[in-house]
């Protein structure tokens, strides 16, 4: 099972008008530990950033699954409640999961989420869909 860490990178970025501005950009990394997440984001970002940069934050997320779409670079976080019935009390119980979905817009996020959930046997309801600031998502490397 994947364990996702949000890593924020701080660096100087050249703006379109030629000015240099200090920015912080968030990325998502699949790693086993905080240390591995930091090492992975440094490895992934080194070819793309000229000059110095620093990892300002590494934090564990509660993302349980990712639905990808290679035609876009925007990410939406879908909070979904899976509904189960307690056999002893017959009470309805909801367990919340967070799923990251790639899409061009809100409707695309909803459509891609529903496509990813096809074949799910359990009942669920969407609690929220919000656009994230994530720049990219890096899976674990397969050797």
């Amino acid at each position: 099972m994947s364990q996702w860490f949000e890593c924020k990178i701080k660096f100087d970025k050249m703006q379109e008008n030629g000015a240099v501005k200090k920015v912080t950009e968030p990325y998502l990394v699949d790693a086993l530990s905080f240390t591995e997440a930091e090492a992975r984001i440094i490895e992934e970002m080194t070819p793309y950033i000229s000059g110095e940069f620093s990892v300002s934050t590494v934090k564990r997320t509660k993302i349980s699954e990712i639905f990808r779409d290679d035609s876009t670079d925007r990410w939406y976080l879908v909070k979904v409640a899976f509904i189960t019935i307690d056999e002893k009390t017959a009470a309805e119980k909801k367990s919340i999961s967070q799923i990251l979905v790639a899409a061009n817009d809100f409707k695309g996020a909803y459509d891609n989420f529903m496509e990813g959930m096809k074949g799910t046997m359990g009942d669920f309801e969407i609690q929220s869909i919000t656009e994230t600031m994530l720049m990219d998502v890096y899976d674990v490397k397969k050797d």
Side-chain angles (χ1 to χ4, degrees), residues 11-21:
F11 63 99
D12 293 329
K13 186 175 189 176
M14 180 73 72
Q15 302 297 301
E16 290 180 14
N17 63 4
V20 176
K21 181 179 178 184

Side-chain angles (χ1 to χ4, degrees), residues 14 24 30 33 36-37 41-43 49 52 56 59 63 67 70 84-85 92-93 107 114 118 123 126 140:
M14 180 73 72
T24 302
D30 185 8
S33 67
E36 182 187 351
I41 197 62
I42 290 170
E43 177 188 339
I49 298 176
E52 292 188 21
S56 61
K59 67 179 182 180
I63 293 171
F67 297 156
D70 293 332
T84 56
I85 305 294
E92 190 175 272
K93 181 182 174 194
K107 183 177 180 337
M114 294 307 285
K118 273 190 180 166
D123 292 334
I126 296 173
V140 81

